Amino acid sequence: MPNLGVNIDHIATVRQARLGADPDVMTAAVHAEMGGADCITVHLREDRRHIQDADVRLLRQSISTRLNLEMAATDEIIAIALEVVPDQCTLVPERRQELTTEGGLDLATHRDTVAAAIDRLQGAGIPVSLFIDPDVAVVEEAARLGARAVELHTGEYAAHPGRPQLARLTEAMEAGLAAGLTVHAGHGLGYETAGPLAQVPGFSEFNIGHSIICRALFAGLMEAVAEMKGLVRYDGNDPRGIRGNRPPKR
Ligand code: PXP
């Protein structure tokens, strides 16, 4: 059974919409852990659109499970990872304009950059996972680069669930295990698609964010509205002690 890494970036996205303190990322991590998360995953993007440096530092100090830091292989972010020492760094491609991580790492084009990042991070004792497309040749290249793990991109499977995509992921996963890698999977997985993939033995961890946060909104929205409705009901006691200002009699 794969471990569940819960990506809480979207909590920080909502917080950054007001640049305030709510919703609190640390509370989200604790709730995720209480729900059974085996790992908390955050992506410290170069543009800091959601998770901030301080979040990563606080999570490192406060969570009781593992911290998986998704990151681009840039000097700035590597320096933060070396300071914070997450339990795992997942190297991902990053483009400023994208809405979310859109594809796996291009190991042919960025071979040297990725290899140098692996050396620096693993040299400091932080295992590195490479987020790659589910392709046997790319998995084998990841192993040659010395990464400890790969995370197979499940976006295509999530968009077109079915045997062909499951077979592609299974083949890539088995190639990873044969090459001595730990194999994770993630991106776009939802309540319909995570279960069937978990039935394929061999995956160590799934990283899931968007679908869980979406489900959480609707699991809690009715209760949140009911609570506020209870508070805004006029009870005849004006808190300023002023008489009058009564609602019209029905
Ligand atoms: N894995 C990686 C490498 C990602 O970049 C993301 C998105 O940040 C996820 C998993 C989670 O994807 P989703 O939010 O679609 O579940």
Side-chain angles (χ1 to χ4, degrees):
M1 190 175 85
N3 283 334
L4 177 61
V6 176
N7 182 313
I8 56 172
D9 292 349
H10 282 347
I11 300 292
T13 302
V14 178
R15 180 193 61 192
Q16 295 308 103
R18 293 283 173 96
L19 296 177
D22 289 331
D24 178 47
V25 165
M26 244 51 61
T27 306
V30 171
H31 280 236
E33 289 180 331
M34 290 190 322
D38 302 292
C39 173
I40 300 298
T41 295
V42 289
H43 185 173
L44 184 65
R45 293 186 72 101
E46 288 179 273
D47 62 12
R48 307 299 199 275
R49 67 172 72 158
H50 39 54
I51 293 292
Q52 306 296 303
D53 302 28
D55 295 323
V56 181
R57 294 194 176 99
L58 262 175
L59 286 167
R60 169 72 297 178
Q61 290 164 17
S62 52
I63 64 173
S64 55
T65 56
R66 294 165 53 250
L67 178 63
N68 174 32
L69 180 64
E70 291 178 4
M71 54 182 273
T74 64
D75 284 342
E76 187 211 3
I77 307 288
I78 290 172
I80 294 168
L82 291 173
E83 177 212 317
V84 170
V85 191
D87 297 288
Q88 172 176 274
C89 286
T90 301
L91 299 183
V92 301
E94 215 175 276
R95 283 199 303 274
R96 297 249 161 173
Q97 309 310 326
E98 68 191 358
L99 294 177
T100 179
T101 319
E102 278 167 4
L105 284 165
D106 178 352
L107 296 184
T109 309
H110 302 293
R111 194 177 194 288
D112 294 346
T113 310
V114 172
I118 292 172
D119 282 352
R120 289 179 69 190
L121 293 164
Q122 291 193 165
I126 308 167
V128 172
S129 177
L130 302 183
F131 183 55
I132 56 172
D133 291 329
D135 185 299
V136 171
V138 185
V139 171
E140 288 170 349
E141 181 62 12
R144 276 194 292 277
L145 287 176
R148 204 69 58 75
V150 287
E151 179 174 331
L152 300 179
H153 195 311
T154 50
E156 283 292 316
Y157 161 69
H160 310 286
R163 280 176 190 271
Q165 294 298 340
L166 265 182
R168 189 176 171 212
L169 283 162
T170 304
E171 189 189 23
M173 179 266 289
E174 285 171 351
L177 296 182
L181 295 165
T182 299
V183 184
H184 309 311
H187 209 284
L189 289 175
Y191 288 81
E192 313 269 296
T193 48
L197 192 62
Q199 299 314 306
V200 182
F203 290 104
S204 291
E205 183 175 287
F206 287 173
N207 280 301
I208 307 179
H210 188 81
S211 61
I212 292 176
I213 303 302
C214 291
R215 178 62 62 95
L217 287 178
F218 290 119
L221 187 58
M222 208 190 297
E223 195 182 316
V225 171
E227 191 181 333
M228 185 58 82
K229 180 79 176 174
L231 292 171
V232 302
R233 198 167 290 139
Y234 184 74
D235 64 3
N237 291 312
D238 188 318
R240 300 165 302 170
I242 302 169
R243 297 176 131 259
N245 189 25
R246 304 236 160 125
K249 284 211 172 92
R250 290 175 192 255

